[in-house]
Amino acid sequence: MMLSQRVRTIEPSATLGLNAIIQKLRADGRDIVNFSVGEPDFDTPEFIRAAGIAAIEGGQTRYTPVPGTPDLRRAVAEFVGAERGVEVAPEEVVICSGAKQALTEAFLALCDPGDEVLLPAPYWVSYPDEIRLAEATPVVVTPPEESRFRITPEHLEPHVTPRTAGLIINSPSNPTGILYDAEEIAALVDFAEAHDLWIISDEIYERFVFSGSLASPFSGKGRERTILISGLSKSFACTGWRLGWAVGDPSIIGGMSRLQGHTASNACTISQYAALAAVREPRHPDLDAMIEAFAERREVALKRLGEIEGLDTVNPEGAFYLYVDFRRFLASGEATTSFCESLLDEKGVATVPGEAFGTPGWVRLSYARSIEEIERGISLIADHLKVR
Ligand code: PMP
Ligand code: GLU
């Protein structure tokens, strides 16, 4: 018996796969500095946990409406609208089991088999497979070296075909930390308008903005063609609660809800109650303290990496990743994957190779770690490079 073509063409998640290897190494007693998975190391704040516990104890343990409880849809609409300076209606919101499910449903709702989706590289690991699940084709566009991975309409233009259905924007970006400013976003919106494309705007790192401010295609005239994706995982330190959302035109949200009605029913009811508390207080002191800690870690990580000669890092304006060019240290023909494996084997430092993001030669470091670990990990990397 054979698995479907659909499943045979998708790869396991590189980031989650690596995380599983690290858990195993740790269980075997190895001391690992884990710069691999992108997950806040902070516990979910008390006020969000308490809302989850109250939901269980108050008997909120049954199905909810497929797109989420009316209260949560309203609260997410208010939260998303307030952060971006627009009015959002609850009918424009669907609550999903994480941003991953929201993205997958969006591609399934927007793409017909054979459609194409423009995907700027480096890209987050799961986009190509989520697009392929919808039997569409990810069209990877890597900006030329001198543009430092900042995508513009000029880079995208030659890749547009009659089958192009959408464009992915992920700002702040995983893996580069790039944050597009309002002007860059406006240019991408004009491009999408000229070719009548959907914009899938993944804004899951919305609170991790360290220089400049968040600009969203949902704020201005791009709004009608934008499906905004975000959730609790990063900005609220809630990865395990599996709670995300999509915001966009009610017809798309309705289509995604129909899909969800047959796949997940609704996102976990308890998590929805926790989310209600979270989005009603997005500037809770516990959350602000987490963002401040990340700002400090970013400074330390950048300074320490800057001390290693020969490494070049994309300026990380947001998210919590450093995307670093290791090409000067790779032997001719050496895959970045094997370099990262040797770093893990010999020095116990876990990183994600650029192959996972479509740009070999580069390595992603997640600095969602304590300052002590960041300093130790980067000095182990420096030691490893000395013998190269
Ligand atoms: N988008 C990006 C860019 C991410 O880095 C992640 C990481 N998990 C997700 C989406 C998925 O988030 P979630 O945990 O809400 O499924
Ligand atoms: N998004 C995070 C990462 O890129 C978590 C793992 C995943 O969901 O892929 O590491």
Side-chain angles (χ1 to χ4, degrees), residues 15-16 37-39 96-103 123-127 130 170-175 202-205 229-234 238-245 319-321 364:
T15 42
L16 294 183
V37 76
E39 172 171 50
C96 307
S97 303
K100 267 185 189 171
Q101 190 189 24
L103 283 160
Y123 49 75
W124 172 53
V125 277
S126 289
Y127 296 134
E130 288 167 351
N170 172 215
S171 170
S173 152
N174 177 3
D202 183 345
E203 303 179 14
I204 189 132
Y205 294 97
I229 308 283
S230 192
L232 289 193
S233 282
K234 318 286 170 169
C238 285
T239 48
W241 296 76
R242 309 309 305 130
L243 201 293
W245 49 80
F320 43 72
Y321 304 105
R364 189 191 80 175

Side-chain angles (χ1 to χ4, degrees), residues 234-258:
K234 318 286 170 169
S235 299
F236 297 90
C238 285
T239 48
W241 296 76
R242 309 309 305 130
L243 201 293
W245 49 80
V247 187
D249 187 276
S251 69
I252 298 156
I253 296 302
M256 291 170 65
S257 302
R258 285 207 298 283

Side-chain angles (χ1 to χ4, degrees), residues 171-237:
S171 170
S173 152
N174 177 3
T176 59
I178 284 174
L179 177 79
Y180 289 114
D181 64 24
E183 219 172 293
E184 290 171 297
I185 292 287
L188 292 169
V189 167
D190 285 345
F191 162 81
E193 201 170 62
H195 297 286
D196 197 17
L197 308 180
W198 293 108
I199 298 173
I200 294 96
S201 183
D202 183 345
E203 303 179 14
I204 189 132
Y205 294 97
E206 60 187 278
R207 282 241 40 210
F208 296 87
V209 170
F210 303 113
S211 75
S213 53
L214 184 76
S216 168
F218 196 72
S219 294
K221 67 181 169 115
R223 173 172 176 159
E224 281 167 21
R225 56 182 69 254
T226 299
I227 296 99
L228 186 158
I229 308 283
S230 192
L232 289 193
S233 282
K234 318 286 170 169
S235 299
F236 297 90

